[in-house]
Amino acid sequence: NKAYRYELKPNKTQLILLKKHAGCARFAWNWGLAERKRLWEEERKTTNAIELHRKLNRLKKTDFPWMYEVSKCAPQEALRDLDKAFKNFFEGRANFPKFKKKGVHDSFRLTGTIKVFPKHVQLPRLGKIRVKEKTTKCKGRILSATVSREADRWYVSLAVIEEIPDPVSVVGEPVGIDVGLKHFAVLSTGEKIE
């Protein structure tokens, strides 16, 4: 597994969509956290990401129709992240999950058909977004894309599975090099390089 991070160069329409996706993911996290707290306080029951997502999908049509403007992955992945946060809390690795605030650590994750072009990244429901540097290094099967905002700059991190070839074996005798003052370099074989 490997990750590649690129700075995005969105146009005005894409910028609005990025903000909507981040807002939807934040809303899903906060809604899921409030729902889990309510369920525990009232019924002493716990739930998971799948059940929360089903409940949110039922409420989408009537209470939250604006969620249809963004990819279904944004709230779904936020609820999965909330589930992981609760597991980490119960296993003693993290504090109790907190509600997210607007404009603080805005991010969302997308899965599905993600394509990489030399100067663009294609994301579900967002289309092709230009990147500020070439994406030629990114090779392999893309698992997900996490889009985040830092100081009014948007970045995409692509999680990729790559085949790493076996290292080529070294041929010859190993040699140590000492860089010195009298000679440029002295090799462990005794050879001096001026």
Side-chain angles (χ1 to χ4, degrees):
N1 290 352
K2 203 169 184 181
Y4 295 95
R5 188 171 191 238
Y6 302 105
E7 185 177 349
L8 295 173
K9 199 174 175 183
N11 59 31
K12 289 180 183 178
T13 309
Q14 291 168 338
L15 190 61
I16 291 168
L17 276 171
L18 289 172
K19 289 178 182 178
K20 283 183 179 181
H21 276 77
C24 186
R26 180 180 60 253
F27 173 81
W29 171 282
N30 290 340
W31 176 86
L33 181 56
E35 192 65 23
R36 284 185 80 142
K37 278 181 157 182
R38 183 195 63 76
L39 198 63
W40 180 255
E41 288 168 3
E42 292 177 4
E43 303 172 26
R44 291 286 185 225
K45 287 184 180 178
T46 186
T47 185
N48 60 23
I50 296 167
E51 291 172 12
L52 283 174
H53 187 64
R54 286 182 186 146
K55 189 170 186 178
L56 185 61
N57 275 343
R58 287 192 298 271
L59 292 173
K60 234 191 248 190
K61 294 174 186 167
T62 56
D63 297 353
F64 316 121
W66 50 268
M67 289 183 93
Y68 288 109
E69 296 174 23
V70 299
S71 173
K72 65 179 176 124
C73 297
Q76 187 175 6
E77 294 297 323
L79 291 174
R80 284 184 185 163
D81 289 343
L82 179 64
D83 211 31
K84 287 178 196 168
F86 269 102
K87 282 181 185 169
N88 288 335
F89 168 70
F90 289 128
E91 291 172 5
R93 291 192 301 257
N95 292 331
F96 191 81
K98 295 179 180 178
F99 290 100
K100 293 190 176 188
K101 296 177 183 174
K102 184 177 181 179
V104 181
H105 304 296
D106 283 343
S107 68
F108 60 93
R109 189 170 55 248
L110 299 172
T111 56
T113 307
I114 301 163
K115 294 181 182 175
V116 177
F117 300 97
K119 292 291 279 179
H120 295 84
V121 174
Q122 185 174 340
L123 301 172
R125 295 294 292 259
L126 291 163
K128 281 186 179 181
I129 302 176
R130 290 178 61 195
V131 290
K132 290 195 174 181
E133 56 191 286
K134 289 191 178 181
T135 59
T136 53
K137 290 181 183 178
C138 184
K139 293 182 175 110
R141 187 169 70 88
I142 300 171
L143 300 174
S144 67
T146 303
V147 180
S148 58
R149 185 182 65 82
E150 292 176 16
D152 290 335
R153 290 183 174 185
W154 289 87
Y155 296 90
V156 62
S157 297
L158 302 170
V160 177
I161 290 182
E162 253 183 39
E163 286 282 330
I164 299 174
D166 292 332
V168 179
S169 59
V170 179
V171 179
E173 187 94 10
V175 177
I177 301 173
D178 181 27
V179 180
L181 297 172
K182 290 183 180 178
H183 304 284
F184 176 71
V186 178
L187 304 181
S188 60
T189 59
E191 183 184 344
K192 296 176 181 176
I193 300 171
E194 297 298 328

